[in-house]
Amino acid sequence: MHASQLIDFLSITGKLKRNTRHCWGPGGRQESVADHSWQLAVMALLVAGDFPDVDINKVVKMCLIHDFGEAITGDIPSFYKTEHDKEVEESAIEGLLQQLPSGIADEFSGLFDEMAEQQTEEAKLFKALDKMEAIASHNESPLDTWLELEYTENLTYGAEEVAYSEYLKKLKNELYKDSVQKIKDGE
């Protein structure tokens, strides 16, 4: 990859550090898309030992690139995202990938396809962790930043995605208990 291509691509994806998500962190700072992707990648690294048959390097790549489109579109919370929004984001991803050398573009395109199809263990683990990271982040957010629908959404979000794994169901259950306690305490 030419240095100028690298710099240009990083200039675009660097917007993920500034593009905010709905979630607020402790201390009153709104979470960025990059914050989410980084935390998600760390989660993947931490659970690697519990998924010995999964290519964790591939999962980490998925975690780091999955929101590339949001460098162009900005973040739309999942509970508001329409089919049209998804199409716009997919188009943004395609445009971004065209700026990369063919080998990297092909690899990333394959990862996006794999994430969308949800057939491999890597894609399933990525998607489940993506949902669990969102819950964990919301549990760290001040309760006064939650929307009304999040009082139930935080309790049910990701249940389908974790159903295939005992470990992930336990993680979801712990996050559920944290959400319930947060709501009960009114924090």
Side-chain angles (χ1 to χ4, degrees):
M1 180 170 206
H2 294 284
S4 62
Q5 281 180 294
L6 175 69
I7 292 167
D8 290 345
F9 193 79
L10 289 176
S11 176
I12 296 167
T13 58
K15 293 176 184 174
L16 296 170
K17 296 186 290 184
R18 296 181 298 279
N19 289 356
T20 56
R21 290 170 53 90
H22 164 67
C23 191
W24 292 78
R29 184 171 96 45
Q30 194 166 5
E31 180 182 60
S32 74
V33 177
D35 291 331
H36 162 69
S37 296
W38 177 82
Q39 186 79 338
L40 178 56
V42 170
M43 285 179 74
L45 291 173
L46 294 174
V47 303
D50 295 291
F51 296 89
D53 297 330
V54 172
D55 180 350
I56 286 296
N57 288 328
K58 183 187 269 191
V59 176
V60 169
K61 287 178 183 181
M62 290 174 174
C63 294
L64 292 172
I65 72 168
H66 80 285
D67 279 337
F68 270 8
E70 293 182 10
I72 307 298
T73 65
D75 178 64
I76 300 171
S78 62
F79 41 81
Y80 291 140
K81 195 173 278 190
T82 66
E83 283 305 313
H84 175 72
D85 295 328
K86 291 176 187 175
E87 290 169 9
V88 169
E89 190 172 320
E90 287 173 12
S91 178
I93 291 167
E94 288 173 17
L96 277 171
L97 296 184
Q98 289 175 3
Q99 298 178 41
L100 295 171
S102 62
I104 297 171
D106 291 345
E107 177 188 6
F108 287 2
S109 180
L111 290 171
F112 278 106
D113 290 345
E114 191 173 332
M115 286 184 280
E117 292 166 3
Q118 285 294 292
Q119 296 300 307
T120 66
E121 292 301 309
E122 289 79 9
K124 290 176 185 176
L125 179 57
F126 150 74
K127 181 57 92 176
L129 291 176
D130 186 34
K131 304 285 187 176
M132 297 305 98
E133 194 287 328
I135 297 170
S137 289
H138 272 80
N139 283 346
E140 292 180 350
S141 300
L143 203 54
D144 64 359
T145 66
W146 286 28
L147 300 174
E148 187 63 35
L149 65 85
E150 289 173 308
Y151 285 82
T152 54
E153 185 79 7
N154 226 48
L155 301 177
T156 61
Y157 195 64
E160 182 179 326
E161 288 79 7
V162 302
Y164 79 97
S165 162
E166 287 305 313
Y167 177 87
L168 292 171
K169 287 191 284 189
K170 289 176 185 172
L171 174 60
K172 168 79 177 121
N173 187 53
E174 288 300 315
L175 290 167
Y176 175 91
K177 290 190 288 188
D178 289 348
S179 296
V180 168
Q181 190 64 49
K182 180 174 193 68
I183 293 166
K184 179 183 174 196
D185 293 344
E187 295 178 349

